[in-house]
Amino acid sequence: MRDTYDITIIDTGYVRPGLCAAYLVVENGRAALIDCGTASCAQRVLDAIDAAGVAREAVDWLLVTHVHLDHAGAAGPLIQALPNARLVVHPRGAPHMIDPTRLIAGAKAVYGEVAFARDHGGMLPVPEERVVVADDGHVVDLAGRALLCVDTPGHARHHYSVWDARSRSWFAGDTFGLSYREFDNGNGAFILPTTSPVQFDPQQLHDSIDRLLAQSPASIHVAHYGEVGECERLAADLHAQIDAMVAIARAAQGHDDRHARIVDGLAALYTWRAREHGIDDAAVRVREILDGDIELNAQGLGIWLDRDAK
Ligand SMILES: [Zn+2]
C-alpha cells in the first residue's frame, strides 16, 4: 500500500509476518529500495516491487542501512535482478558486501547453522562496480528526491539512517529500536532498543537517537516493523531502556550464569514496560513476540561487556 509520499512498506517475510520490513520509495517513476531482508526474502521483495507497479528497470538504488543480513542479505540476488540498481552502503559495510565471507561466518555464529540455513539462505557478493559508498552526509538522488545518508552508529558501526525531506521522515534501520505493531494500543506504539551482536555501543546509540530527533521528524520508519510517530516519546523510551539494559548487563557481570541473568533481566524489564504501556497479558505477549529479540539483545550485551572490560 503506497502512502501519500509514495512510500510502500514491503514485508520481507523474514521468520514471521510483521517482523522485517523493506521500503520502496518512488519518485517520478523511479524507485529506491531501502533494506531488503535476507537472501531467502529476495523473491518476495521482487514480487512486491512488481505488485507496486514498478518495473525492475526503474529501480535505481538499493540502500542498506547496515550490513546485518536481515537488512542486506538479499542485496546480491536483488542487484542481479534489478539491472539499473546500485547498492548504497556505509563505508564500514561496503567491503563485506563485495566479499560476504565474514558476514556469513558472523551470522552463523549468532543464529546457529540451522537457523542460518533456514532463514538466511546464504549470500551472494555484489560486484564492486555496482557499489556506492555512502559517507556521512552522502545524498542519493532519486529522480530529484534527495535521500540523505547520516552516520548513526550504536546498534552497529556500519549503520547509516536515511532522511527523506519530502516526508520529513527517517528510514532508521535498527538505530531507532524495535516497534512491533502487535503491541499497538490506545497508548500508541511500544518500542525497545536492539543491542544485537556484535557492535552495540550505548553512548553511540544515545547520540544517534538524538541525531535523528534533531531533524524534528514527522515519523520514523523502523525495519522491525513499520512507521512510528510520536518520535519524542519513543526516543525517551529508548534512552531510558538503553540505560536500564546496560545496568542489567553490568549487574550480571562476573556471574557464571551471566547470559541467563541478562535474559531474565531483559524479559522482566520489557514485561514491566509493556504493562506500563497498558498491555494486560504483558508477560505472555513479551514471551510470544520478543523471545528472539531478548536472546539477541542478551548476546549483544554480553559481547559489549567483554569489550568494555578490556
Ligand atoms: Zn541490525
Side-chain angles (χ1 to χ4, degrees):
M1 204 171 41
R2 200 182 282 194
D3 74 3
T4 36
Y5 299 107
D6 289 320
I7 298 166
T8 302
I9 186 168
I10 296 172
D11 190 332
T12 64
Y14 176 61
V15 180
R16 65 169 172 85
L19 178 75
C20 180
Y23 294 97
L24 187 69
V25 184
V26 176
E27 186 75 15
N28 292 321
R30 309 301 299 177
L33 185 66
I34 303 176
D35 285 341
C36 57
T38 63
S40 310
C41 307
Q43 189 55 50
R44 229 186 131 114
V45 171
L46 289 170
D47 291 345
I49 292 170
D50 296 345
V54 172
R56 295 189 182 179
E57 294 73 23
V59 180
D60 288 333
W61 303 107
L62 167 55
L63 296 93
V64 291
T65 56
H66 62 304
V67 302
H68 286 165
L69 296 199
D70 49 331
H71 300 257
L78 287 175
I79 286 293
Q80 283 183 3
L82 304 169
N84 295 316
R86 277 177 288 168
L87 176 72
V88 182
V89 57
H90 191 284
R92 289 179 182 275
H96 302 293
M97 300 307 296
I98 296 162
D99 176 7
T101 314
R102 279 178 57 198
L103 279 184
I104 293 168
K108 284 180 179 171
V110 170
Y111 296 99
E113 293 272 357
V114 174
F116 178 80
R118 183 188 61 219
D119 301 329
H120 294 258
M123 216 183 156
L124 292 175
V126 175
E128 193 168 356
E129 61 274 15
R130 305 271 305 268
V131 173
V132 174
V133 174
D135 291 307
D136 186 36
H138 179 86
V139 176
V140 171
D141 179 4
L142 174 63
R145 181 172 181 168
L147 300 173
L148 171 67
C149 300
V150 174
D151 187 32
T152 51
H155 171 77
R157 286 196 295 270
H158 45 84
H159 200 305
Y160 66 70
S161 297
V162 182
W163 174 246
D164 173 35
R166 195 179 144 203
S167 61
R168 292 206 58 77
S169 169
W170 285 102
F171 297 89
D174 284 348
T175 297
F176 205 69
L178 312 166
S179 181
Y180 297 115
R181 302 282 59 84
E182 289 94 332
F183 286 112
D184 286 355
N185 63 12
N187 295 319
F190 178 76
I191 205 160
L192 64 150
T194 156
T195 63
S196 62
V198 291
Q199 295 182 336
F200 168 61
D201 182 298
Q203 193 52 54
Q204 286 182 349
L205 192 53
H206 280 303
D207 293 346
S208 289
I209 290 165
D210 288 341
R211 203 167 179 196
L212 298 180
L213 259 279
Q215 290 279 24
S216 304
S219 72
I220 297 179
H221 296 78
V222 299
H224 315 283
Y225 177 93
E227 182 180 13
V228 293
E230 292 188 278
C231 301
E232 304 237 345
R233 173 179 69 83
L234 296 180
D237 287 355
L238 290 171
H239 283 309
Q241 287 178 95
I242 292 165
D243 292 342
M245 290 163 69
V246 162
I248 287 165
R250 286 202 195 283
Q253 182 67 317
H255 291 274
D256 291 341
D257 57 347
R258 184 181 79 177
H259 181 73
R261 282 172 184 252
I262 298 175
V263 167
D264 290 347
L266 295 181
L269 170 68
Y270 304 144
T271 300
W272 171 68
R273 293 202 63 107
R275 206 171 284 134
E276 293 284 294
H277 187 66
I279 293 171
D280 294 332
D281 50 349
V284 176
R285 303 289 283 159
V286 162
R287 215 173 308 123
E288 274 173 8
I289 298 163
L290 298 181
D291 225 26
D293 291 308
I294 289 170
E295 171 60 29
L296 290 178
N297 279 355
Q299 280 188 29
L301 287 164
I303 290 164
W304 166 73
L305 279 173
D306 291 341
R307 202 170 55 237
D308 197 52
K310 280 178 194 154

